[in-house]
Amino acid sequence: MNYSDIQSKLLEFNSDQSTKSIRDYYTRKSFLEILSKTRNETTHSAFIAWLLQGDEFSKGNAPLMLFLNALVKNSANVDSPINTDEALKAAILSGTLELAGVKATTEQTVKDISAIPSLDRLDIYLTATLAKPVSGKSHLRIIIENKVFAEEMKADEKGRNVTAPRMDNLPKAQFSDKDDYLKLNQTQRYYSAISEHPKDIAYNANVFTIYVFLTPRGTHATDKHFIPLTYQDLMDYVLDPLVSDMGLEHTVKTYLSEYINALSVPSISDSDNALTVLAVSKGEKARLEDFWTKYEPIITEAANSNSANGSNPKDLVLQKFYERNQPLFMAIYHIMPDKAAVLKPYTTRDYTKYTLKFNGQTLGKHLGKRAVILCASKALIDNGYALPAQDSYNRAFFYNEQTFEQRYQQGLLSEDAYKNRYTMIETAEGKFAVCNQWGVGNWDFVDVLFDQAPGKFNLIAE
């Protein structure tokens, strides 16, 4: 595409109302992101536990029954009663399994339900009573190990969490010494402690215990008793059917919609700067596929230009276009990676975290670049540092509140700069507007400021 074609296509893209709708959806912050909990395993476990307990749902649309159907689908080749007990499987698939007294908790300590004195904690522990016994058993329990980014913990990583003073009491029938239990990987320990060394032997003999390994990509657990499940499975078999129910109470539907949005909108991994999508609803998948079909040429052109990192006018506008819309493009990549292979799951933005020190004193840890500037500005103001020189974009690090307002009234600050490009902070000297536009391309100006500051700044990448 030549530069004229690109301009025409971008004008069409920007004036398309369907584009605005879908871009707003994938670039707005979900409720969990506002709370900085978008990819927090504990937060997801808490929501799933609430969902499966089903207190806000009628018997006819019990989330737990939908969840059990998803487990049946994924249980092939897994040593689980949901796969090996035909009566249990038939009761689930026919919808005749009657459950009562469902209770789901998070962070259940293993030692409370096992003879093994382990301080391991189960992400989700669900128990229920079967109103009608199945295969002679009257109870059901589900143990879910939830991994959003982390991998299954190996023996040497978690062994410290088994209480050393009571290790001599480990059952000798299976463990020749106290170290044998510690040599097991995480899911192996869970199965051994709960099913092979239960605290309540009678209950254990009367319960179907189903183990689940929930991950973004369907990773298999080390232990063969865990059914692999993805967040997309959770979306397809539980969330989508529930949120489509016209009879669902409005508040509950809002909770579900917000959670679906949190799963769908790309978010940054703590480990590798990758944008990840956990799941996309059926309706959003269709909308993304239509969008890709309509705008594939310009998206592909932008992705290729971004990878090439050119500096001519054509490349620059494409790179800016790609960066602005990358969350939307990553959602497309998630649903059809074969067709959208040109899209990269790694963000072009710099999400490095820093520790900032001034004259040996730590001002903050795990700071993004914006937070670095806010902390540094406050330190400079508190130390009487004068207004620094402006950079090539006519940005200064900070203005006192009065000067900031005056420059805006005089037309020296644009509406966009006034409303979006500065952050107001409180200092001992009063309020100051601090510029928040310091990305990779102009970070060198920040280095100049630090070099000229009345004191020693140390910026340490974590």
Side-chain angles (χ1 to χ4, degrees):
M1 298 175 71
N2 59 41
Y3 194 23
S4 177
D5 291 337
I6 288 170
Q7 291 183 73
S8 297
K9 201 63 179 176
L10 289 179
L11 287 171
E12 177 190 345
F13 183 96
N14 290 329
S15 62
D16 188 337
Q17 286 302 306
S18 64
T19 293
K20 184 179 186 305
S21 173
I22 195 170
R23 182 166 60 193
D24 287 350
Y25 183 85
Y26 284 99
T27 57
R28 82 174 179 88
K29 287 187 176 182
S30 68
F31 184 66
L32 291 186
E33 190 170 3
I34 292 172
L35 299 177
S36 299
K37 299 290 186 181
T38 314
R39 296 296 181 259
N40 181 277
E41 287 176 0
T42 303
T43 301
H44 284 279
S45 294
F47 185 90
I48 294 168
W50 167 82
L51 180 71
L52 296 183
Q53 185 163 301
D55 291 342
E56 305 295 330
F57 300 85
S58 67
K59 182 179 179 181
N61 60 10
L64 181 54
M65 288 303 299
L66 297 173
F67 185 76
L68 287 169
N69 275 272
L71 297 184
V72 169
K73 180 189 81 72
N74 286 13
S75 65
N77 303 316
V78 177
D79 188 1
S80 171
I82 207 168
N83 179 46
T84 59
D85 192 293
E86 291 299 330
L88 177 61
K89 184 188 296 186
I92 293 170
L93 293 176
S94 65
T96 57
L97 187 70
E98 295 186 28
L99 300 171
V102 179
K103 183 179 181 181
T105 60
T106 60
E107 298 295 307
Q108 171 70 54
T109 306
V110 169
K111 69 182 181 67
D112 293 337
I113 55 176
S114 170
I116 302 293
S118 169
L119 292 180
D120 279 326
R121 292 181 180 273
L122 308 174
D123 290 331
I124 301 173
Y125 182 72
L126 182 146
T127 59
T129 300
L130 303 182
K132 296 179 181 178
V134 176
S135 296
K137 296 189 177 183
S138 302
H139 298 279
L140 172 76
R141 66 178 169 185
I142 301 175
I143 291 155
I144 303 174
E145 179 58 23
N146 181 21
K147 299 292 185 188
V148 174
F149 285 134
E151 297 180 353
E152 179 179 351
M153 293 185 183
K154 303 299 187 291
D156 58 344
E157 295 176 280
K158 196 69 174 180
R160 64 184 183 277
N161 278 351
V162 176
T163 48
R166 296 177 59 190
M167 290 303 294
D168 290 337
N169 295 328
L170 280 173
K172 302 300 182 183
Q174 177 163 339
F175 303 109
S176 58
D177 59 60
K178 66 182 181 181
D179 293 327
D180 280 0
Y181 181 77
L182 305 185
K183 293 175 183 177
L184 299 176
N185 289 341
Q186 187 177 18
T187 55
Q188 292 171 325
R189 289 198 308 276
Y190 290 175
Y191 180 79
S192 176
I194 296 165
S195 288
E196 295 179 342
H197 299 95
K199 179 172 287 187
D200 188 336
I201 296 174
Y203 175 78
N204 192 62
N206 194 31
V207 64
F208 289 111
T209 303
I210 299 170
Y211 295 87
V212 181
F213 198 56
L214 176 62
T215 66
R217 301 291 174 259
T219 306
H220 284 258
T222 304
D223 188 86
K224 64 181 181 180
H225 302 90
F226 280 74
I227 299 172
L229 193 74
T230 68
Y231 273 88
Q232 190 62 55
D233 291 325
L234 189 68
M235 177 75 79
D236 293 342
Y237 290 90
V238 183
L239 297 170
D240 249 348
L242 286 173
V243 81
S244 301
D245 183 358
M246 299 302 294
L248 199 62
E249 199 272 325
H250 175 73
T251 302
V252 177
K253 183 168 287 192
T254 299
Y255 294 160
L256 294 175
S257 297
E258 282 295 326
Y259 188 65
I260 286 172
N261 178 248
L263 296 181
S264 303
V265 173
S267 187
I268 290 293
S269 161
D270 290 337
S271 57
D272 59 7
N273 219 42
L275 284 165
T276 62
V277 175
L278 293 181
V280 176
S281 68
K282 183 178 179 180
E284 283 303 314
K285 183 177 180 181
R287 193 159 70 132
L288 287 169
E289 288 174 341
D290 290 344
F291 182 83
W292 170 253
T293 299
K294 187 174 183 179
Y295 289 108
E296 178 183 354
I298 188 65
I299 296 172
T300 300
E301 191 83 15
N304 287 329
S305 177
N306 184 68
S307 298
N309 200 28
S311 57
N312 57 62
K314 170 185 169 181
D315 287 333
L316 289 174
V317 70
L318 287 171
Q319 288 162 19
K320 290 295 184 183
F321 167 72
Y322 186 84
E323 180 177 333
R324 183 186 180 193
N325 296 285
Q326 194 178 27
L328 169 57
F329 300 159
M330 288 307 96
I332 295 172
Y333 179 87
H334 172 79
I335 66 167
M336 46 179 168
D338 54 332
K339 295 181 181 178
V342 67
L343 301 174
K344 303 295 189 296
Y346 293 92
T347 176
T348 55
R349 298 180 182 180
D350 183 4
Y351 287 87
T352 305
K353 298 299 183 181
Y354 299 91
T355 293
L356 179 67
K357 295 184 178 182
F358 183 64
N359 292 336
Q361 179 183 358
T362 299
L363 299 181
K365 295 181 178 180
H366 205 57
L367 304 175
K369 287 190 171 181
R370 178 178 177 181
V372 165
I373 295 304
L374 294 177
C375 284
S377 297
K378 188 174 187 308
L380 291 170
I381 293 167
D382 289 343
N383 282 273
Y385 186 54
L387 184 70
Q390 294 176 326
D391 72 350
S392 58
Y393 292 93
N394 198 34
R395 290 170 298 190
F397 268 78
F398 50 78
Y399 297 105
N400 64 47
E401 184 179 26
Q402 182 178 1
T403 301
F404 183 66
E405 295 292 341
Q406 287 176 347
R407 289 181 64 83
Y408 172 63
Q409 296 298 331
Q410 295 167 0
L412 299 176
L413 281 175
S414 68
E415 186 81 11
D416 177 61
Y418 178 73
K419 291 185 176 180
N420 302 316
R421 299 179 181 274
Y422 284 81
T423 301
M424 196 68 69
I425 64 171
E426 295 271 2
T427 76
E429 303 299 321
K431 291 183 178 180
F432 283 77
V434 180
C435 183
N436 57 35
Q437 302 293 300
W438 306 108
V440 177
N442 45 31
W443 193 247
D444 55 342
F445 184 57
V446 178
D447 293 334
V448 172
L449 172 72
F450 284 1
D451 290 342
Q452 297 175 351
K456 174 68 173 176
F457 275 107
N458 292 106
L459 188 62
I460 307 162
E462 296 177 358

